Amino acid sequence: MPEVIRDSRTSSTAQAAPARRAEARLEVAVIDDPAALAGPWQALADRAEVVNPFLEPWFLGPALQAWGAAEGASLAVLHAPGSGALQGLVALRPRARLAGLPLAHLEGWRHGQAFLGAPLIAPGQAARVWAALGRHCAAQGARALVLHDLPAALPLPPGAVRLSSLTRAALVPHPAGAAAYLAASASAGARKDWRRLRRRLAEQGALELRRLAATEDPGPWIDAFLRLELAGWKGRAGTALASCAAGERFFRAMATGAARLGRLRMIGLWLEGRPVALQCNLVSGRQGFAFKVAHDETLAAFSPGVLLELDAVAAFHDEPRLAAVDSCTAPDNAMIARIWAERIALQRVLLPAEGAAGALAGAAVRAAAMLRGGRA
C-alpha cells in the first residue's frame, strides 16, 4: 500500500515558518533553450543537496535534444524573483493517467538512459522547491507531480505519497582497499572461479586492462564502446545506443561533455589489441555511477564482463573522493549482487498539487492502490 510520508521535522519546520515567510516564493519557468542556462545550471548541480548527474547539463542537454521533443519533455527551473541563481531544476512531461485513473499530472521525465530522478535542489531550499512545484502543477491543470527513482533519504513534504520502492546494488569503498572489499563481499569459491576465468582468458592471447586517462581523447573509447554494444544482444534487440541515430548522438555528446568536466571514467579489457569488455562510468561530486557496460559475447565462456566488473571495483577504490557508487542496475541483477555488497533504497513518489484538487488526487491514488493490493 502506498505510504503517506510524514515529515518528522514538523516542529522545527513550524518554528522556522516566520523566517521563511520573509523569503519570496520561488518562481518556476519552463525553458525552451537549455543551452542558455549552462553556467547557472552547472553551478546548481555542483552544489545540489542530492547529486544527480542525469540532470546535469552535459547529460540532460543531449538527452533533451535526442528524445525530449518526441516525449513531450521540458526543462523547469526554479529561482527567486529577480535572481539569476537557480534554486531547483527538473525535467517534466504531462501525463493523462495514473494508477488506472484519468488523472492529469506532471511526471519527472525518465528516458531510458537515466537512472536517478532526484531534482537538483540548492542547499536549504527543498521546502521552497516542493511548494513551488506544487503551485506549478496547479497552474498547469495537473493534480500531482510523480517522481521516479528518488533516493529514500531525500526530504519530502508532508502529504507526499510513496507509491513504490526498490533497492539496487551499491558499492561503498572499503578503507583497506579493493581486495579487502571483495574478500568481504564475495565467497572464497567465487573468487577462485574468477581467478580461473582470468587465467583462461589470458591463455587466448595478450590480455590488458586499460583506463581512460584524464588527458586522453575519449573519442576512440566512445567509438569502441558503441561498436561493442551494438555487436551484442542489445544490438540484436534494437536497444543499443548505436541502434538509432538519436541514441548514438546522445552518447557521443554526453560522454564528450562528461570528459571535458572530468566526470567520465572508462575502463576496458583488451585481448590481442581489441576490446572485449568496456565500461562507461560517471562521477559527480563524491558519488559514482556505473552507467553502461558491454562485452564480447563470443568470449562468454570466459566471462569478460564479470572480470571487468572486478577490475572496476579496484578502479572505484582508486578514486580517493568517492563515498559510494550506484550500480544503476535492475534490482534482480544477480551478477552485480554477488560482487557489490551494499544497497541503495529508491522510491516512486506522488507530490499533490497545491489546493484541494491535489489533496483529492493523493487520496484517489491511495484508494486505487489499495484495490490493487498496494501497487499504484
Side-chain angles (χ1 to χ4, degrees):
M1 173 180 174
E3 176 183 349
V4 179
I5 301 167
R6 305 196 183 281
D7 197 329
S8 61
R9 301 161 300 163
T10 301
S11 59
S12 60
T13 302
Q15 292 170 5
R20 277 209 311 274
R21 277 196 293 268
E23 296 180 303
R25 286 182 166 190
L26 295 182
E27 296 179 347
V28 179
V30 177
I31 302 301
D32 295 324
D33 181 14
L37 276 180
W41 183 354
Q42 190 62 57
L44 171 63
D46 290 341
R47 72 183 198 280
E49 284 193 348
V50 175
V51 169
N52 187 353
F54 307 110
L55 283 187
E56 295 194 33
W58 50 268
F59 192 102
L60 182 56
L64 285 168
Q65 290 179 354
W67 305 293
E71 298 189 12
S74 58
L75 186 66
V77 299
L78 296 90
H79 59 92
S83 171
L86 301 185
Q87 303 302 322
L89 180 145
V90 65
L92 301 173
R93 67 171 176 172
R95 306 294 279 170
R97 297 186 67 83
L98 179 63
L101 301 173
L103 190 66
H105 64 285
L106 295 179
E107 176 185 57
W109 182 47
R110 186 179 57 170
H111 57 87
Q113 308 304 324
F115 301 99
L116 198 64
L120 298 180
I121 300 176
Q125 297 299 309
R128 297 176 76 204
V129 165
W130 297 135
L133 288 174
R135 293 191 297 272
H136 179 66
C137 285
Q140 298 299 309
R143 301 287 189 88
L145 169 62
V146 174
L147 296 173
H148 304 269
D149 296 330
L150 296 186
L154 180 65
L156 295 169
V161 179
R162 184 178 288 115
L163 301 176
S164 60
S165 60
L166 61 87
T167 60
R168 67 184 178 217
L171 180 152
V172 175
H174 195 290
Y181 183 92
L182 290 171
S185 65
S187 68
R191 299 198 306 277
K192 181 179 178 180
D193 287 342
W194 294 333
R195 290 192 296 270
R196 176 181 56 81
L197 287 168
R198 194 178 295 273
R199 286 195 302 270
R200 289 184 59 203
L201 182 58
E203 290 168 359
Q204 311 306 306
L207 183 64
E208 181 185 4
L209 174 68
R210 300 182 189 176
R211 299 186 193 181
L212 174 67
T215 57
E216 189 177 352
D217 177 9
W221 284 80
I222 294 169
D223 293 341
F225 183 89
L226 288 168
R227 286 195 301 268
L228 190 59
E229 186 188 51
L230 186 63
W233 70 267
K234 289 186 179 180
R236 294 190 296 275
T239 60
L241 287 158
S243 292
C244 66
E248 181 171 346
R249 285 196 303 270
F250 157 77
F251 186 75
R252 291 186 182 280
M254 179 281 299
T256 302
R260 189 178 302 118
L261 291 177
R263 303 281 209 266
L264 183 67
R265 303 291 187 272
M266 296 193 77
I267 183 172
L269 282 174
W270 263 253
L271 182 67
E272 288 294 298
R274 65 184 178 91
V276 296
L278 291 170
Q279 280 192 19
C280 173
N281 301 319
L282 306 172
V283 171
S284 183
R286 301 188 66 221
Q287 304 295 313
F289 298 84
F291 178 54
K292 289 287 178 180
V293 62
H295 66 273
D296 186 339
E297 294 177 4
T298 67
L299 297 170
F302 309 105
S303 300
V306 175
L307 297 179
L308 186 60
E309 290 289 354
L310 300 172
D311 294 327
V313 170
F316 286 130
H317 275 79
D318 289 342
E319 295 266 354
R321 296 183 63 243
L322 281 190
V325 185
D326 185 341
S327 70
C328 300
T329 58
D332 59 355
N333 189 310
M335 185 270 287
I336 289 294
R338 292 180 67 197
I339 301 173
W340 293 37
E342 292 77 33
R343 299 293 180 267
I344 181 173
L346 301 171
Q347 56 190 344
R348 176 169 166 258
V349 171
L350 178 147
L351 305 173
E354 183 180 68
L360 288 172
V365 170
R366 288 195 297 274
M370 290 177 66
L371 294 174
R372 289 173 171 78
R375 296 183 302 275

